[in-house]
């Protein structure tokens, strides 16, 4: 019996040396220590041993059992550690490798110019407000003194979504919303996208951007309008820029003007960009029509105001000498990356 125990111990130790996986170990555990295992088998034979020998042999079997158990456990730890090390080695980071370049995007030219404009107007005390792109006939036309069937509706080709529901053709709609919710003194700008059913070419797009401006207070005159817009033009185009006001027509302003600045390409001499005139038109403006003030519940006998609408796309193409407005919408990265 003693010999058998020794043999088993030796065989188990030998088998353990060759065990290289968790599965091998489990098989060994079952073989030696399991319910039907070899050591259990020995214990079962204890009955055939002389009674005085029994405690001794029993003790030996138990010792062998715990020895094999400990050895298996130690081996299991070793295998687990080795597997972990192998995994870590596979995941090791080579810190001598060059880092991947992180590309950071740049601001779109339209946003750059818009940010500059917002800064300029904020410094003059204007707030920035927002308005919806899907507008009602009331805000886009009716309250802006353009009733149904008014010939001025032909000035803008409108995308209609449903009866009296449209894509705003001008940010002027935001004037009305502002006057409905704020009391004078009002000084706001509203930048945003506008939509007109125009054919696409180098200078036209069915989607473009305007910045609406509105000032309403007691005693506002055309002089205020001229002062603000001249100041704006010089800040955006440079202090030597000249500004010219031409009489014009908009249904919601009276009198109305169009504002030109000296061409930034030729400085006013005349070139391809300004079509030889030396001037570039950048905005429409005028004194808010009394009908518009009245429609918003503001008394035109007490208050007056001026409004302007600046074309952001034109401003951007002339400022950056971009020859085709389509470049602003195509999102060609080669074009956009130039504005780094
Ligand atoms: N809404 C006009 C346009 O789109 C521009 C404008 C705005 C003119 C405000 C006068 C006052 O043409």
């Amino acid at each position: 019996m003693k010999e058998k125990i020794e043999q088993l111990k030796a065989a188990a130790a030998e088998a353990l040396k060759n065990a290289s996986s968790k599965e091998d170990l489990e098989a060994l555990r079952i073989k030696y220590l399991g319910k039907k295992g070899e050591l259990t088998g020995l214990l079962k034979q204890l009955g055939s041993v002389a009674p005085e020998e029994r405690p001794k042999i029993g003790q030996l079997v138990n010792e062998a059992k715990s020895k094999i158990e400990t050895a298996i456990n130690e081996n299991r730890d070793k295998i687990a550690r080795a597997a972990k090390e192998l995994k870590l080695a596979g995941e090791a980071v080579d810190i001598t490798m060059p880092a991947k370049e992180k590309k950071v995007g740049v601001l779109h030219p339209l946003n750059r110019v818009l940010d500059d404009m917002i800064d300029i107007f904020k410094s003059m005390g204007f707030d920035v407000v927002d308005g919806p792109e899907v507008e009602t006939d009331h805000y886009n036309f009716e309250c802006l003194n353009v009733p149904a069937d008014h010939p001025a509706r032909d000035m803008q080709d409108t995308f209609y979504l449903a009866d009296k529901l449209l894509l705003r053709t001008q940010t002027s709609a935001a004037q009305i919303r502002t006057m409905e919710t704020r009391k004078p003194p009002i000084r706001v700008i509203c930048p945003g996208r506008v939509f007109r059913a125009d054919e696409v070419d180098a200078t036209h797009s069915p989607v473009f951007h305007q910045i609406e401006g509105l000032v309403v207070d007691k005693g506002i005159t055309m002089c205020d309008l001229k002062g603000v817009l001249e100041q704006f033009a010089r800040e955006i185009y440079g202090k030597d820029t000249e500004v010219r006001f031409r009489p014009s027509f908009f249904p919601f302003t009276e009198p109305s003007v169009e504002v030109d600045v000296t061409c930034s390409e030729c400085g006013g001499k005349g070139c391809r960009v300004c079509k030889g005139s030396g001037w570039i038109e950048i905005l429409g403006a005028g004194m808010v029509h009394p009908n518009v003030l009245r429609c918003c519940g503001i008394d035109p006998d007490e208050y007056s105001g001026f409004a302007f609408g600046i074309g952001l796309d034109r401003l951007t193409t002339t400022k950056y000498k971009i020859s085709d407005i389509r470049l602003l919408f195509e999102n060609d990265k080669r074009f956009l990356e130039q504005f780094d």
Side-chain angles (χ1 to χ4, degrees):
M1 195 74 166
K2 271 189 199 163
E3 254 170 53
K4 263 198 182 155
I5 295 172
E6 284 310 313
Q7 270 170 16
L8 266 182
K9 264 164 65 178
E14 191 59 34
L16 264 173
K17 271 190 213 153
N18 298 326
S20 60
S21 69
K22 274 198 295 196
E23 290 73 24
D24 289 351
L25 286 178
E26 183 58 13
L28 280 180
R29 192 189 63 78
I30 292 169
K31 183 165 191 279
Y32 290 100
L33 309 175
K35 266 194 200 143
K36 293 180 184 158
E38 312 225 0
L39 276 169
T40 325
L42 278 185
L43 278 178
K44 279 183 191 149
Q45 291 169 28
L46 220 53
S48 59
V49 174
E52 64 276 15
E53 289 276 304
R54 266 183 218 159
K56 183 105 185 82
I57 300 291
Q59 196 190 351
L60 281 177
V61 174
N62 280 334
E63 267 173 24
K65 205 172 162 183
S66 75
K67 206 166 169 197
I68 294 173
E69 220 163 15
T70 320
I72 287 179
N73 285 342
E74 274 171 7
N75 240 309
R76 189 177 286 129
D77 289 349
K78 228 168 47 200
I79 287 174
R81 244 179 285 129
K84 195 168 169 191
E85 263 160 36
L86 202 73
K87 188 162 171 254
L88 286 178
E91 288 171 357
V93 177
D94 181 355
I95 55 165
T96 62
M97 292 271 281
K100 275 197 194 129
E101 192 192 349
K102 277 221 176 83
K103 282 241 172 191
V104 177
V106 296
L107 274 184
H108 191 283
L110 282 173
N111 281 93
R112 286 180 164 241
V113 177
L114 178 60
D115 285 353
D116 288 349
M117 291 176 68
I118 288 177
D119 282 349
I120 295 169
F121 282 111
K122 272 194 173 165
S123 76
M124 291 196 254
F126 284 74
D127 282 347
V128 180
V129 297
D130 206 8
E133 291 179 348
V134 173
E135 261 301 0
T136 61
D137 187 89
H138 172 80
Y139 288 104
N140 197 82
F141 290 126
E142 198 74 36
C143 209
L144 282 162
N145 201 27
V146 190
D149 304 325
H150 191 286
R153 292 219 178 189
D154 296 341
M155 286 168 78
Q156 301 167 357
D157 264 329
T158 310
F159 287 114
Y160 279 92
L161 302 174
D163 186 33
K164 303 219 178 274
L165 198 64
L166 45 89
L167 292 177
R168 68 175 172 196
T169 59
Q170 48 191 356
T171 42
S172 300
Q175 282 188 33
I176 308 299
R177 289 184 177 275
T178 306
M179 283 190 275
E180 277 182 358
T181 50
R182 295 191 182 201
K183 293 273 150 283
I186 293 171
R187 234 180 294 166
V188 295
I189 55 167
C190 171
R193 280 197 296 186
V194 295
F195 307 84
R196 289 183 202 177
D198 274 338
E199 289 293 331
V200 179
D201 65 26
T203 52
H204 292 88
S205 159
V207 184
F208 57 103
H209 303 80
Q210 287 186 334
I211 290 120
E212 191 77 9
L214 174 72
V215 173
V216 181
D217 201 356
K218 286 183 177 150
I220 297 289
T221 70
M222 194 86 180
C223 287
D224 299 305
L225 178 155
K226 288 185 78 174
V228 165
L229 293 178
E230 272 174 12
Q231 176 68 15
F232 159 73
R234 297 214 173 95
E235 290 211 34
I236 204 99
Y237 281 111
K239 63 177 179 2
D240 296 328
T241 308
E242 282 183 50
V243 183
R244 144 178 121 169
F245 294 79
R246 279 182 292 109
S248 184
F249 170 78
F250 298 103
F252 33 89
T253 47
E254 183 59 37
S256 304
V257 288
E258 267 169 325
V259 179
D260 301 338
V261 292
T262 37
C263 174
S264 54
E265 179 75 25
C266 61
K269 284 195 235 27
C271 69
R272 204 176 54 86
V273 174
C274 56
K275 299 199 179 78
S277 73
W279 296 96
I280 289 180
E281 184 199 320
I282 57 163
L283 62 92
M287 301 306 292
V288 181
H289 197 291
N291 284 353
V292 176
L293 292 175
R294 231 174 263 128
C295 185
C296 302
I298 295 175
D299 182 359
D301 293 329
E302 198 180 343
Y303 292 101
S304 56
F306 67 83
F308 54 88
I310 307 172
L312 177 61
D313 311 81
R314 170 76 68 86
L315 215 76
T316 306
T317 51
T318 51
K319 190 172 160 71
Y320 288 115
K321 304 190 189 349
I322 297 166
S323 57
D324 194 320
I325 193 176
R326 283 169 286 199
L327 287 164
L328 294 175
F329 302 107
E330 281 166 354
N331 288 332
D332 185 331
K333 273 170 73 187
R334 291 166 302 178
F335 166 73
L336 295 173
E337 275 164 4
Q338 297 175 68
F339 299 90
D340 209 346

